[in-house]
Amino acid sequence: MEDSLLDGWFIILVSLTYVGALFAIASFGERHAKQIFNSRTRPIIYSLSLAVYATSWTFYGAVGRASTSGWEFLATYLGPILVFIFLWQVFTKIVLVSKQQNITTISDFIASRYGKSQSLAILVTCIAVLGIVPYIALQLKAVAISYDALTAAAGEASSGSDTALFVALLMALFSILFGTRHIDATEHHEGIVLAIAFESIIKLSAFIAVGLYVTFGIFDGFNNLFSQAAAELAQNENFRTDFIEGSFITETLLAAAAIICLPRQFHVAVVENADPKDLRVARWIFPGYLILASLFVLPIATAGMLTFPDGSVDADTFVLTLPLAAHQNELAMFAFLGGLSAATSMVIVATITLSTMVCNDIVMPMLLRLPWLKLSQNKDLGALLLRVRRLTIFNLMLLAYFYYRIFGDTGSLASFGLLAFVAVAQFAPALVGAVLWSKGSRQGALAGISAGFAIWLYTLVFPIMSDAGLVPEHINAIVWQSQWFHPHALFGFEFSNHLTHGTFWSLVFNIGLFFGVSHYSNLRLIDRIQASTYVDSQKISSEQPAHELSGTTTVGDLQLLTERFLGVDR
């Protein structure tokens, strides 16, 4: 029976059963939302749903990072923890503003703040799609390599590409069935939130189970683990590197930005938030979750390096290969389910969010401008909206699959994730400035995000495409021979690693242009109204009844009101 656990057909059967269980949980959550999401359970479920942040990159890739890059793996956990501890007021303010403005996506939030700019919404949506597709491909790659690791232990041939396609179609089906049932994107998806919270428990339990096995099965308890880990780490050059020398600070900054700038994180933390008071509980549960998830990374990495000293096994698969090497097939299968949970939760929320952004910001405005379709005369566009979102989800999964097929062998799991983190970090200046700086303008946000995105493409994406042979030779020759405009030495400055180089220059130009252009821009009336609404949002407490919302009115408020009728000059 133990050998049959690793057969390909059995793994697929278990995967289908697991996804079926998610269907059941999501359906139950939708039917009994009022009973399940009460004042006691709702904050806990909401807090666990935030753990959609912990993808297969965290489940598999953190161990791989610890084995190959030393302490840099901690940055993925440290960034969000610092945000939840020290930047909590900014996080809360973003949630409050979004509730007041009926915000549906991160592109809606940014575009609405800066004069309800359609061009800005399109820009944010395009960057989100281009940045998140590699991240979705990461999940497909993680499931494919974990499937191959299990079947290889049973003596079956590798079929990673077919596995990735199967997983892509399965995840697309789930997202379509449960993520596009409502027309109103501001409605809460209680069923999906409950399923995501359940998956957060599964992936954490599986990772801790492997960690406990390593501690007491491979090592002789914690004392033996600490002594052997200390000896192994002392000989490992990766753990002797100074934090400043590597990309630790850069990755911490990117992880801090990602916890709110990733479209899926914004959706779960902001759109799916039913009551801002739930944030008080999430402030401690979510960092605690990340701490628990990081506890056994080093023990598993140490055990992997000691068990496979020749480097014959991919470090990203240590979570699976360690139980397999000890013939603990049941534990390996549980670890596989944990990785599957980490992948599916991310893909489901990401595709639902991106499909809403593409539909609302690009497709529907374009279709409504086509006079021969006569959509403006159609009073019921609900069916069309849902079809567009479903088709977008399907196409996103296909794009991610093809990205995996083309670039799947060019880097580790962590490299895929970091590429997405730098892309969405370009939203951070405009996003934070939206609630803190009233002088921010549409032109400044457009200039900053555009410049940051262009530098991201040039310094980080271009080299990957070049390595994959997708850049014509004559363009390659021109770029790589240049002294000043080399992707890895932009303007003559080169950092110790490509990630820090690309992140630094993209954010420097982003922030500089955002503040510089905004400072010299003439704000329109709609810009000033939206700025006042966002920046001064906390004057209105969500806990107050409606009749107590009146307070002091400033001259600026009256000026904004009269300008709408009399014009700026008068």
Side-chain angles (χ1 to χ4, degrees):
M1 175 62 183
E2 285 195 358
D3 292 336
S4 65
L5 285 176
L6 305 181
D7 290 340
W9 66 268
F10 186 77
I11 298 172
I12 293 174
L13 178 62
V14 170
S15 301
L16 289 173
T17 303
Y18 178 74
V19 174
L22 291 182
F23 271 84
I25 292 171
S27 298
F28 182 80
E30 282 200 349
R31 291 196 308 268
H32 305 281
K34 292 184 179 180
Q35 292 81 4
I36 297 174
F37 289 82
N38 55 54
S39 59
R40 292 185 177 180
T41 60
R42 187 188 61 242
I44 298 174
I45 296 173
Y46 170 74
S47 302
L48 289 173
S49 70
L50 294 177
V52 70
Y53 171 82
T55 66
S56 56
W57 172 18
T58 307
F59 191 86
Y60 293 120
V63 175
R65 290 282 287 170
S67 304
T68 57
S69 304
W71 297 108
E72 289 179 3
F73 81 93
L74 283 174
T76 308
Y77 306 95
L78 183 60
I81 292 174
L82 292 176
V83 169
F84 270 66
I85 293 177
F86 297 107
L87 297 178
W88 188 247
Q89 290 184 339
V90 177
F91 196 96
T92 304
K93 193 172 184 180
I94 291 174
V95 174
L96 290 173
V97 169
S98 299
K99 294 303 173 189
Q100 295 167 9
Q101 298 290 309
N102 288 324
I103 297 299
T104 58
T105 60
I106 188 171
S107 60
D108 187 19
F109 183 91
I110 295 176
S112 179
R113 161 60 178 85
Y114 299 102
K116 300 186 178 181
S117 169
Q118 183 66 28
S119 57
L120 190 53
I122 293 174
L123 176 64
V124 172
T125 299
C126 290
I127 294 175
V129 170
L130 291 176
I132 301 305
V133 163
Y135 208 172
I136 297 174
L138 180 156
Q139 315 308 315
L140 302 181
K141 179 178 181 179
V143 175
I145 63 174
S146 60
Y147 175 86
D148 289 343
L150 291 178
T151 54
E156 296 185 17
S158 172
S159 60
S161 298
D162 296 335
T163 305
L165 180 59
F166 170 76
V167 172
L169 295 175
L170 192 64
M171 292 180 182
L173 178 64
F174 186 96
S175 301
I176 288 171
L177 289 178
F178 279 94
T180 57
R181 304 180 73 170
H182 305 295
I183 299 172
D184 186 1
T186 61
E187 289 186 9
H188 296 136
H189 302 82
E190 289 90 353
I192 289 184
V193 170
L194 185 63
I196 299 304
F198 171 77
E199 289 197 293
S200 297
I201 296 174
I202 294 296
K203 61 191 176 189
L204 180 62
S205 301
F207 196 80
I208 290 177
V210 175
L212 291 174
Y213 167 73
V214 165
T215 303
F216 297 101
I218 297 179
F219 300 108
D220 189 18
F222 285 104
N223 290 333
N224 180 250
L225 166 64
F226 292 147
S227 61
Q228 292 209 41
E232 175 66 21
L233 298 183
Q235 300 175 1
N236 193 320
E237 293 184 0
N238 294 322
F239 287 90
R240 300 177 189 172
T241 305
D242 192 336
F243 286 155
I244 300 178
E245 293 180 9
S247 60
F248 181 84
I249 296 177
T250 302
E251 292 184 28
T252 302
L253 174 65
L254 292 174
I259 197 61
I260 190 63
C261 292
L262 280 170
R264 74 172 190 276
Q265 289 300 138
F266 188 92
H267 180 84
V268 172
V270 177
V271 180
E272 295 293 349
N273 178 275
D275 189 337
K277 289 186 287 187
D278 295 345
L279 293 167
R280 300 172 186 171
V281 177
R283 184 183 183 184
W284 305 109
I285 291 183
F286 178 60
Y289 183 99
L290 293 179
I291 292 172
L292 286 175
S294 66
L295 285 180
F296 289 102
V297 172
L298 273 183
I300 296 174
T302 302
M305 290 185 286
L306 291 174
T307 306
F308 311 106
D310 56 352
S312 58
V313 175
D314 186 354
D316 284 336
T317 64
F318 281 170
V319 177
L320 285 172
T321 51
L322 285 172
L324 288 173
H327 304 289
Q328 298 290 328
N329 294 345
E330 294 87 352
L331 180 59
M333 182 59 69
F334 187 33
F336 173 78
L337 285 180
L340 184 64
S341 297
T344 53
S345 60
M346 178 272 170
V347 171
I348 289 167
V349 181
T351 52
I352 291 171
T353 305
L354 290 178
S355 68
T356 303
M357 293 168 67
V358 170
C359 176
N360 293 356
D361 300 328
I362 299 177
V363 177
M364 290 307 298
M366 181 182 65
L367 293 179
L368 288 169
R369 287 192 176 97
L370 298 176
W372 52 273
L373 287 178
K374 298 181 179 179
L375 292 180
S376 58
Q377 301 176 13
N378 190 348
K379 296 182 179 180
D380 185 14
L381 295 176
L384 178 61
L385 282 168
L386 293 182
R387 281 198 297 269
V388 170
R389 290 178 189 172
R390 289 165 182 167
L391 186 61
T392 303
I393 289 174
F394 182 76
N395 288 330
L396 284 171
M397 293 307 301
L398 284 184
L399 280 174
Y401 171 73
F402 286 121
Y403 186 97
Y404 161 73
R405 291 297 303 270
I406 297 171
F407 300 105
D409 297 327
T410 60
S412 64
L413 294 179
S415 65
F416 281 48
L418 290 171
L419 193 66
F421 273 25
V422 181
V424 299
Q426 306 311 316
F427 304 150
L431 183 71
V432 176
V435 295
L436 297 181
W437 191 45
S438 60
K439 300 295 184 180
S441 70
R442 175 178 59 90
Q443 297 93 325
L446 279 170
I449 295 175
S450 299
F453 175 60
I455 294 175
W456 171 76
L457 285 173
Y458 185 68
T459 58
L460 295 175
V461 177
F462 179 85
I464 293 177
M465 296 179 65
S466 178
D467 292 341
L470 299 179
V471 179
E473 287 297 328
H474 66 281
I475 296 179
N476 248 340
I478 295 173
V479 172
W480 293 97
Q481 289 175 6
S482 171
Q483 291 287 331
W484 287 89
F485 293 98
H486 192 288
H488 298 157
L490 193 63
F491 301 116
F493 294 92
E494 185 170 5
F495 290 82
S496 59
N497 59 83
H498 304 328
L499 176 70
T500 300
H501 180 83
T503 302
F504 176 82
W505 284 116
S506 63
L507 289 179
V508 162
F509 274 84
N510 190 332
I511 295 171
L513 286 173
F514 172 62
F515 283 99
V517 174
S518 294
H519 180 73
Y520 292 102
S521 297
N522 292 321
L523 295 181
R524 301 172 301 168
L525 173 61
I526 184 65
D527 295 327
R528 291 198 291 273
I529 292 174
Q530 290 301 101
S532 177
T533 302
Y534 275 61
V535 176
D536 299 330
S537 63
Q538 285 186 314
K539 290 181 179 178
I540 302 175
S541 172
S542 60
E543 298 177 3
Q544 290 179 304
H547 64 275
E548 294 182 4
L549 293 181
S550 59
T552 58
T553 301
T554 65
V555 174
D557 294 333
L558 295 174
Q559 182 178 346
L560 286 175
L561 178 63
T562 54
E563 281 178 6
R564 304 179 73 173
F565 304 98
L566 303 177
V568 177
D569 295 335
R570 293 188 63 186

